[in-house]
């Protein structure tokens, strides 16, 4: 695929004796939104978390195969894991603001990577809060606790915090599922804008959302990659019987 962000080759993940992903091989296009769809328990979140080496944080997990990013296998022994997680960011299903101010939440990552100048931090905080669509709502209370924000605002704050370390890939794990419809719409709008500069891979259990947002689709079933391709092709002319059955609502 031309302009590929991630190359997944023979990726397998097992939790103890239970294999969750089986021999996944696919390319993820750059600066597009790729949606991972499939029924509950099919391995969507495991695949997403394996793309930034977060899956291995679960005790007893085994991961084998390759995920090639910027020409290098992120699972190679010499790989610096913290660098992988900086360049490939993960936005979780439920927002987890840090127990500090709105400002300090966004500045946390840059400070961790050595940025100390207040003017530089101020610029990063404003830029990323604007990118997340939150600046106008919080600019007069940047030093208030992040916990005082609504859950929808907290999710956008977590998006700003993730963007502040300047990742190249954003992994989004059902990031609107805990939100009210208006907050979900705001997150969707932000992601559609951000794809001009970022590669976005999102897990969603809402087919309407995948149809609205995705440029590219992966359909997983029981840990296997059944079908993938441009969203229009997968949704309108699926090649595989299992894909057609899932899209028709025959199983969930």
């Amino acid at each position: 695929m031309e302009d590929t962000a991630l190359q997944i080759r023979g990726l397998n993940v097992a939790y103890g004796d239970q294999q969750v992903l089986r021999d996944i091989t696919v390319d993820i296009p750059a600066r597009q939104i790729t949606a991972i769809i499939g029924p509950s328990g099919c391995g969507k979140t495991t695949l997403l978390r394996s793309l930034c080496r977060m899956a291995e944080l679960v005790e007893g997990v085994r991961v084998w195969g390759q995920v090639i990013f910027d020409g290098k296998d992120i699972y190679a022994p010499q790989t610096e894991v913290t660098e992988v997680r900086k360049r490939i960011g993960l936005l979780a299903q439920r927002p987890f603001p840090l127990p500090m101010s709105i400002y300090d939440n966004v500045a946390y990552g840059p400070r961790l990577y050595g940025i100390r100048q207040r003017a530089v931090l101020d610029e990063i905080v404003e830029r990323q809060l604007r990118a997340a669509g939150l600046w106008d709502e919080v600019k007069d209370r940047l030093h208030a606790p992040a916990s005082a924000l609504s859950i929808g605002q907290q999710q956008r704050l977590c998006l700003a915090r993730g963007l502040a370390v300047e990742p190249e890939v954003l992994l989004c794990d059902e990031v609107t599922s805990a939100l009210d419809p208006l907050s979900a719409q705001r997150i969707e709008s932000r992601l559609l804008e951000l794809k001009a500069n970022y590669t976005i891979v999102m897990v969603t259990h809402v087919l309407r959302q995948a149809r609205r947002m995705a440029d590219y689709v992966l359909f997983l079933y029981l840990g296997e990659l059944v079908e993938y391709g441009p969203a229009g092709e997968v949704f309108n002319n699926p090649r595989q019987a299992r894909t057609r059955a899932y899209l028709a609502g025959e199983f969930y």
Side-chain angles (χ1 to χ4, degrees):
M1 183 189 299
E2 192 173 330
D3 209 7
T4 298
L6 294 163
Q7 297 170 291
I8 305 169
R9 298 290 180 266
L11 183 66
N12 296 266
V13 180
Y15 298 113
D17 294 332
Q18 181 185 9
Q19 190 160 348
V20 180
L21 293 180
R22 299 177 182 277
D23 201 27
I24 306 294
T25 295
V26 68
D27 290 345
I28 303 294
R31 290 177 298 283
Q32 294 191 43
I33 295 179
T34 295
I36 304 174
I37 64 171
S40 296
C42 69
K44 299 187 297 294
T45 292
T46 297
L47 175 57
L48 193 76
R49 293 173 66 85
S50 70
L51 301 182
C52 62
R53 293 197 58 170
M54 295 291 282
E56 66 198 64
L57 296 179
V58 178
E59 188 175 352
V61 74
R62 291 181 295 123
V63 182
W64 65 102
Q66 293 182 309
V67 176
I68 299 168
F69 174 59
D70 196 19
K72 299 174 183 176
D73 178 15
I74 68 170
Y75 284 96
Q78 68 272 23
T79 298
E80 178 54 59
V81 178
T82 55
E83 182 67 13
V84 170
R85 293 175 184 159
K86 176 177 182 288
R87 297 177 66 189
I88 306 177
L90 177 67
L91 190 62
Q93 183 173 359
R94 293 192 65 85
F96 289 102
L98 300 171
M100 53 185 68
S101 71
I102 295 166
Y103 181 101
D104 288 336
N105 263 268
V106 184
Y108 180 83
R111 283 176 173 146
L112 201 62
Y113 289 101
I115 296 175
R116 296 285 183 268
Q117 303 94 321
R118 183 62 183 229
V120 176
L121 289 171
D122 287 350
E123 188 275 330
I124 291 171
V125 169
E126 179 174 348
R127 173 160 42 90
Q128 303 307 352
L129 286 172
R130 286 187 183 279
L134 192 57
W135 174 254
D136 289 338
E137 297 167 47
V138 302
K139 61 184 179 182
D140 297 323
R141 50 178 176 143
L142 291 175
H143 299 290
S147 58
L149 297 174
S150 72
I151 190 167
Q153 290 173 323
Q154 287 180 16
Q155 189 65 296
R156 284 182 284 149
L157 176 65
C158 290
L159 175 59
R161 189 178 71 207
L163 294 174
V165 296
E166 299 185 346
E168 294 157 56
V169 179
L170 282 175
L171 308 176
C172 302
D173 188 8
E174 297 196 29
V175 294
T176 62
S177 65
L179 306 183
D180 63 87
L182 181 58
S183 296
Q185 187 178 43
R186 285 174 172 160
I187 287 285
E188 286 188 7
S189 297
R190 296 283 80 76
L191 294 178
L192 287 167
E193 292 171 5
L194 289 168
K195 77 173 183 179
N197 298 307
Y198 299 87
T199 298
I200 298 172
V201 186
M202 61 183 292
V203 164
T204 180
H205 67 283
V206 181
L207 286 176
R208 294 187 307 279
Q209 183 179 63
R211 290 179 186 273
R212 279 195 304 271
M213 298 187 65
D215 302 296
Y216 203 77
V217 173
L218 313 182
F219 171 57
L220 290 186
Y221 183 69
L222 297 178
E224 296 181 358
L225 181 59
V226 175
E227 186 161 349
Y228 59 91
E233 292 181 13
V234 173
F235 286 130
N236 300 322
N237 189 30
R239 300 183 302 274
Q240 302 296 324
R242 283 179 294 180
T243 313
R244 291 193 293 271
Y246 178 70
L247 295 176
E250 295 178 17
F251 57 88
Y252 299 94

